[in-house]
Amino acid sequence: MMKKFFFAAALAFGTFTAAQAQATFGVRGGANLTNLSGDLRDEDMFENKVSFHGGVTLNFPVVEDFFSIQPELLYSRKGFKSNSEEYTNLLLQNRRREGSVDYNYLELPILGHINAGPLYFELGPQLGYLLSVNNKTEIYDGNDNRISSSRDEKSKDGLSEFEVGYAAGIGFQAMNGISLGVRYNGAFSDFVKEDVNFEGDLTNARHSVFMLTLGLRFPSGN
């Protein structure tokens, strides 16, 4: 499955070979504000988590100075924090959960860019591959006794390795090739196949990510 992802990435970055003389290469990185969305049993149990992303881009002009296609290959860290408040599980037992979870993805967005002067608008599909997990969660009973710990748990058991989603954003592109943008990444697919760590609370969960992203193109001007 991983080979298929890298094949898709290579295909996206090589699709416009004939136009490479006009293409611009770029680098991109910035901050993520991540959490969960979807038909969750109790969304209040999950809090936003600040993380990061970084990677490379190619921009291929289709209509000069107006519309272009931009595939990207990014490393992006998603996840959430537990709110540490007491809750009642499906067995009517009092529990408290604290800690956070990181989901590390390799992502391939393929975005259409519309330029409107210094502003740009972007929208397109995105494919993600789950590289690794860092689960730093501990569960306590009603007497504040720790009954479970997943600290430094790396297992991807119960999780879907592939995520199908979308990206949409707006930003400012300077003439020197520097850009600053805000982007939202959503998912069409749930990333949990079987919730083995959170007592069913992650059933129907999808990643939700707001990105503040800084980019630089070489050469500038497209």
Side-chain angles (χ1 to χ4, degrees), residues 28-146:
R28 179 174 299 283
N32 291 351
L33 183 65
T34 79
N35 206 329
L36 302 180
S37 64
D39 187 17
L40 299 172
R41 189 172 66 187
D42 190 353
E43 292 188 21
D44 293 337
M45 295 178 62
F46 308 104
E47 294 184 340
N48 294 334
K49 187 176 188 298
V50 177
S51 197
F52 63 93
H53 66 275
V56 296
T57 70
L58 283 176
N59 185 276
F60 299 95
V62 178
V63 179
E64 188 174 358
D65 297 328
F66 176 69
F67 181 73
S68 59
I69 300 295
Q70 181 165 297
E72 304 179 353
L73 191 60
L74 304 176
Y75 171 86
S76 185
R77 177 169 288 182
K78 307 180 184 183
F80 61 89
K81 295 193 297 184
S82 297
N83 69 1
S84 301
E85 294 182 4
E86 191 170 280
Y87 65 94
T88 302
N89 64 13
L90 293 175
L91 299 177
L92 302 181
Q93 300 167 316
N94 291 331
R95 294 287 186 263
R96 181 173 61 84
R97 186 186 297 139
E98 64 179 40
S100 63
V101 187
D102 294 321
Y103 301 97
N104 304 306
Y105 278 84
L106 186 64
E107 295 185 327
L108 175 64
I110 301 178
L111 306 175
H113 266 238
I114 295 178
N115 300 314
L119 292 179
Y120 69 83
F121 303 88
E122 58 185 9
L123 176 67
Q126 176 172 286
L127 178 65
Y129 178 79
L130 180 61
L131 295 170
S132 62
V133 179
N134 191 9
N135 187 351
K136 298 171 284 187
T137 304
E138 295 177 339
I139 299 177
Y140 297 82
D141 64 17
N143 296 317
D144 214 32
N145 298 312
R146 190 175 69 179

